[in-house]
Amino acid sequence: MYVAASTRCFGDLDYWQSLTLISDHEFDKVEIYLDETGALPPSKITADPNHFYHQMREKTRLAPIAFTLAHEIPIEQFEKLCSLSKLMQVTQINVATSPVGTPFNSEIDRLKAMARAAATEGIRVGIRTEAGTLSADAHTAVELCQAVSGLGIAFDPSYFVDPEKIDQIVDLVAKYTMHVFLRDSTREQLQVQVGLGEVDYGRIISQLEKHRYSRALSVELLPNLMEQEQRTLELRKLRMLIDSLL
């Protein structure tokens, strides 16, 4: 396992400024967050993939380890993102599942199209576990992975904050887990200061180790729930805490 930081942590700032802040906090790996209404729209980088690739090489020493999409994008755009991922040697794209209530079969068809497009470039697709979507239920997330060849899970423990159930949840999703998002949370609040929450990082990491998980633990702070100065402090604290547990 290794530690990374998501550019979503500073998604309210200029994208290149967010990379500088992440680098300043001694991270060497970055997860790139794409949001059409945010700092880095997917339409922008897929319109000129080579330009973005060269900018990344020139402006930062951070190693990109994944792209994470905030929302669905057209399949043609997704195919271009897969090609860009291959060019940048990024092997993982995390996507959101459809809202709760979406027919299961139509979601399988949508995810199959993305998985096929990604597979042609040697890219993995992970569905993030998130409230309000089909993957909010861990069992449903696993069923989607079983129905779509090559599909994995981008696991966010903040949506499963229950000490009595977390071991069972990790055991359930670990086989399919390709990426992990981390922040501190309680059952009432999705994001709180490190140490005030109920996320047991040591316990989660230990469970993942049992299943030989060897990929990213990505710190993802939510800009709308914490001021920038506090996020800066929390990023450093979380990096040091996770490093100490690995």
Side-chain angles (χ1 to χ4, degrees):
M1 280 181 270
Y2 54 86
V3 185
S6 169
T7 57
R8 189 180 189 183
C9 295
F10 301 107
D12 51 341
L13 305 178
D14 173 77
Y15 171 72
W16 302 107
Q17 185 180 357
S18 72
L19 293 185
T20 298
L21 287 170
I22 289 170
S23 181
D24 287 347
H25 285 78
E26 300 180 21
F27 287 86
D28 58 5
K29 296 178 178 61
V30 65
E31 168 207 334
I32 301 173
Y33 186 73
L34 303 176
D35 185 346
E36 200 59 39
T37 61
L40 190 63
S43 61
K44 180 178 180 179
I45 67 169
T46 56
D48 193 347
N50 285 323
H51 179 64
F52 181 72
Y53 168 69
H54 289 296
Q55 278 189 307
M56 284 292 294
R57 294 196 63 178
E58 292 170 3
K59 293 187 177 184
T60 184
R61 294 183 180 180
L62 290 168
I65 52 93
F67 284 108
T68 295
L69 288 164
H71 47 71
E72 184 178 5
I73 61 176
I75 189 64
E76 297 81 11
Q77 205 174 94
F78 183 78
E79 290 169 351
K80 292 180 180 179
L81 181 60
C82 291
S83 298
L84 174 60
S85 298
K86 183 177 181 179
L87 181 64
M88 294 177 62
Q89 298 183 329
V90 172
T91 59
Q92 175 83 21
I93 299 177
N94 303 314
V95 303
T97 52
S98 297
V100 171
T102 301
F104 193 76
N105 288 339
S106 65
E107 181 67 351
I108 288 174
D109 291 340
R110 186 182 76 91
L111 293 171
K112 279 183 175 179
M114 286 192 288
R116 283 195 299 268
T120 61
E121 302 289 0
I123 310 299
R124 300 186 298 260
V125 176
I127 52 173
R128 67 176 302 165
T129 54
E130 192 171 17
T133 70
L134 291 175
S135 57
D137 178 81
H139 289 87
T140 302
V142 169
E143 288 174 1
L144 287 169
C145 291
Q146 291 170 340
V148 180
S149 178
L151 190 69
I153 290 173
F155 179 55
D156 191 334
S158 288
Y159 294 99
F160 304 95
V161 182
D162 186 339
E164 295 182 2
K165 296 182 179 178
I166 188 61
D167 289 352
Q168 296 175 355
I169 295 294
V170 176
D171 283 341
L172 176 65
V173 303
K175 177 181 176 181
Y176 301 97
T177 298
M178 296 178 168
H179 192 90
V180 176
F181 302 98
L182 289 178
R183 73 186 70 80
D184 214 352
S185 310
T186 66
R187 274 168 272 195
E188 292 75 32
Q189 293 179 276
L190 185 58
Q191 181 167 278
V192 297
Q193 294 179 32
V194 177
L196 299 182
E198 301 173 69
V199 176
D200 190 335
Y201 305 98
R203 190 172 177 181
I204 291 169
I205 289 171
S206 177
Q207 285 292 105
L208 290 170
E209 284 177 339
K210 290 179 181 178
H211 294 275
R212 299 183 180 179
Y213 179 77
S214 60
R215 295 170 181 162
L217 301 172
S218 185
V219 178
E220 186 194 65
L221 303 177
L222 308 178
N224 60 317
L225 298 180
M226 190 175 284
E227 295 296 327
Q228 182 192 330
E229 289 184 3
Q230 188 62 49
R231 274 177 274 143
T232 300
L233 178 61
E234 294 300 298
L235 192 66
R236 185 182 299 275
K237 287 161 60 178
L238 268 170
R239 180 189 59 77
M240 294 176 66
L241 174 59
I242 298 168
D243 276 343
S244 72
L245 294 171
L246 294 177

